[in-house]
Amino acid sequence: MSRPGQGGGEQLVLTELPEAVQQAVAATRERVAALHAELTRYELVVWTAGNVSERVPSEEVELFVIKPSGVSYDELTPASMVVCTLDGAKIADGTPDALTPSSDTAAHAYVYQHMPEVGGVVHTHSTYATAWAARHEPIPCVITMMADEFGGEIPVGPFALIGDDSIGRGIVQTLRESRSRAVLMAGHGPFTIGKDAREAVKAAVMCEDVARTVHIARQLGEPKPIAQSDVDSLYERYQNVYGQRADDAKEQQ
């Protein structure tokens, strides 16, 4: 189930993997391709910047799907989504060899390797969140929506260059100390995580929204922080009570 890779190692071949894995990859490619449209819909990206990835749900092999590098959003299709192992290496996934994965692939891969609970990762350069990152400043928890979604402030991760897993290390290091599903990588921009790609995209949308709101609030005066006890209460309610629960949905069927 492998062939010689470009780096001299063995490369997995998608069509030689078990049928269940191939089906899981196909479904993941569909989801990831579709979710990239949400980044443009909410104006979180420009040109070809930004990316969504999702872990392939399989116990047989560890893979994730990510956007190809430098490809326009209106040209993305499920078939063009790149499939990688958790060390960031592209497998023989049916795409041309010249179609390389996102330049942020090493960061995504590191997150998946070291945070097994994470099923989706998103990176954008959304304007307001990136402005906070440019100041190396966390977004303070001053509105209830932040407490609901992020459980407190949105923290800042260390500055790191693209090219290896340094950004991934900074993401993991920062988010392990926080309930937040978003981190502002200093001088770079936001990365968000979730149980799947859709949840990570939601966190990216919410991150930009609160970054903008708090920025505007600061133009009018100093925003007032929410007491930690209230933050905890809001977070608990939103994460465990708000919305439709799976058991409730079953009862209504």
Side-chain angles (χ1 to χ4, degrees), residues 139-223:
I139 304 173
C141 188
V142 295
I143 52 178
T144 59
M145 190 166 72
M146 283 193 69
D148 291 342
E149 180 69 22
F150 301 106
E153 72 173 20
I154 297 178
V156 172
F159 178 80
L161 295 176
I162 298 173
D164 57 22
D165 62 12
S166 298
I167 293 174
R169 289 177 182 274
I171 294 168
V172 171
Q173 170 190 330
T174 306
L175 292 184
R176 276 183 173 165
E177 304 298 322
S178 173
R179 291 188 298 203
S180 176
R181 285 198 288 265
V183 55
L184 309 175
M185 294 303 289
H188 188 170
F191 283 79
T192 58
I193 59 172
K195 65 182 180 183
D196 54 28
R198 182 173 180 80
E199 189 173 87
V201 169
K202 177 195 174 188
V205 173
M206 302 289 275
C207 177
E208 177 64 3
D209 188 68
V210 300
R212 179 172 56 246
T213 299
V214 179
H215 169 79
I216 292 171
R218 290 179 94 181
Q219 310 315 299
L220 305 173
E222 190 60 32

Side-chain angles (χ1 to χ4, degrees):
M1 292 190 292
S2 61
R3 73 180 191 190
Q6 293 181 345
E10 293 295 320
Q11 185 183 37
L12 289 177
V13 178
L14 179 60
T15 56
E16 296 179 0
L17 295 175
E19 182 63 26
V21 175
Q22 294 184 51
Q23 292 178 0
V25 167
T28 305
R29 280 174 144 172
E30 290 275 356
R31 288 191 297 273
V32 172
L35 283 166
H36 278 92
E38 298 298 301
L39 302 190
T40 57
R41 176 186 175 193
Y42 287 98
E43 301 182 343
L44 303 184
V45 294
V46 296
W47 203 239
T48 63
N51 38 73
V52 177
S53 74
E54 185 171 80
R55 190 191 296 266
V56 175
S58 171
E59 296 182 356
E60 298 180 73
V61 60
E62 294 186 309
L63 302 169
F64 69 98
V65 171
I66 194 167
K67 175 183 177 289
S69 179
V71 176
S72 174
Y73 279 81
D74 58 8
E75 296 176 357
L76 295 179
T77 66
S80 68
M81 295 297 104
V82 181
V83 185
C84 297
T85 60
L86 293 201
D87 61 4
K90 177 183 175 180
I91 73 168
D93 59 6
T95 62
D97 289 342
L99 191 71
T100 58
S102 165
S103 59
D104 293 301
T105 295
H108 290 242
Y110 191 90
V111 173
Y112 290 128
Q113 285 177 341
H114 295 86
M115 300 183 78
E117 72 278 12
V118 171
V121 179
V122 171
H123 173 49
T124 78
H125 296 153
S126 59
T127 302
Y128 284 88
T130 301
W132 287 85
R135 296 196 302 271
H136 297 209
E137 184 178 359
I139 304 173
C141 188
V142 295
I143 52 178
T144 59
M145 190 166 72
M146 283 193 69
D148 291 342
E149 180 69 22
F150 301 106
E153 72 173 20
I154 297 178
V156 172
F159 178 80
L161 295 176
I162 298 173
D164 57 22
D165 62 12
S166 298
I167 293 174
R169 289 177 182 274
I171 294 168
V172 171
Q173 170 190 330
T174 306
L175 292 184
R176 276 183 173 165
E177 304 298 322
S178 173
R179 291 188 298 203
S180 176
R181 285 198 288 265
V183 55
L184 309 175
M185 294 303 289
H188 188 170
F191 283 79
T192 58
I193 59 172
K195 65 182 180 183
D196 54 28
R198 182 173 180 80
E199 189 173 87
V201 169
K202 177 195 174 188
V205 173
M206 302 289 275
C207 177
E208 177 64 3
D209 188 68
V210 300
R212 179 172 56 246
T213 299
V214 179
H215 169 79
I216 292 171
R218 290 179 94 181
Q219 310 315 299
L220 305 173
E222 190 60 32
K224 305 300 182 184
I226 298 174
Q228 186 61 51
S229 60
D230 291 330
V231 171
D232 294 340
S233 178
L234 288 161
Y235 182 74
E236 172 66 22
R237 170 194 164 277
Y238 188 76
Q239 299 298 321
N240 299 303
V241 178
Y242 175 82
Q244 303 300 315
R245 310 260 61 86
D247 291 342
D248 294 340
K250 289 179 181 179
E251 291 176 1
Q252 294 171 11
Q253 291 178 349

